[in-house]
Amino acid sequence: MKQNTLFLIKPDATGRNEIGQILSKVEENGFEIEKLKMFKMDEELANKFYAEHVGKPFFASLSEFMRSGKIVGAMLSREDAVLKLRELVGNTDSTKANLGSIRAVHGTSKGENSVHASDSIESAKREIGLIFPE
Ligand code: IDP
Ligand code: MG
């Protein structure tokens, strides 16, 4: 079934001018870019976007990292978009991500892993609403 999912290019990757390479990889893998924007995350959005992680030991560094530079947000569509994008993105820890996955190529650690992908259809709906409220 055709689905929408939410994709972010995080500040480590935008800061290295890797936006084009990453979006190319996404398009080459059958995803259609339905919506696209460049923005910065503030504290309020970080708290909402990563609500499930508020209070965890890594949350402060995650929030600081996500507020440290430009983010590209994209709503993507494809058959089985949620699962297929998670596969393309790879393991949370870039050093453990499958060869060829975006995190293996671009990410440098578990925190600075270059991209975000929604983990379920419900998360996708929630995250699309947060990033593209219009
Ligand atoms: P995911 O992005 O693969 O869904 P989550 O567990 O939902 O991974 O964590 C959200 C984000 O928080 C990760 O992408 C990463 O940037 C950061 N993060 C998660 N776990 C750690 C950790 O143990 N140390 C540092 N950062 C972490
Ligand atoms: Mg997650």
Side-chain angles (χ1 to χ4, degrees):
M1 199 182 64
K2 201 167 180 191
Q3 294 168 345
N4 292 328
T5 192
L6 194 275
F7 181 63
L8 300 180
I9 305 178
K10 298 183 179 183
D12 57 327
T14 64
R16 291 190 302 260
N17 299 329
E18 293 170 357
I19 296 168
Q21 288 173 52
I22 292 173
L23 287 180
S24 291
K25 186 83 161 273
V26 163
E27 287 189 309
E28 282 162 12
N29 281 272
F31 295 88
E32 194 173 332
I33 299 172
E34 303 287 354
K35 296 184 181 183
L36 187 65
K37 76 190 274 195
M38 178 91 80
F39 67 101
K40 281 193 170 173
M41 207 173 255
D42 61 13
E43 190 178 0
E44 188 187 351
L45 183 57
N47 286 339
K48 281 186 190 162
F49 192 84
Y50 284 119
E52 65 175 311
H53 299 307
V54 172
K56 292 186 184 172
F58 63 84
F59 182 74
S61 67
L62 170 61
S63 178
E64 186 183 4
F65 166 55
M66 293 302 288
R67 291 184 282 115
S68 69
K70 290 179 289 184
I71 292 177
V72 172
M75 185 176 94
L76 305 177
S77 70
R78 206 212 104 128
E79 288 288 308
D80 287 325
V82 172
L83 189 67
K84 296 294 184 191
L85 189 65
R86 290 286 290 192
E87 284 174 10
L88 180 62
V89 158
N91 193 288
T92 304
D93 186 341
S94 305
T95 66
K96 293 179 181 151
N98 281 341
L99 224 64
S101 66
I102 294 174
R103 282 169 168 169
V105 174
H106 295 272
T108 52
S109 65
K110 191 168 186 184
E112 303 211 352
N113 55 13
S114 298
V115 289
H116 167 88
S118 308
D119 65 4
S120 67
I121 294 174
E122 294 67 39
S123 296
K125 286 186 181 144
R126 191 185 74 85
E127 293 170 0
I128 289 165
L130 283 173
I131 305 301
F132 296 102
E134 66 280 358

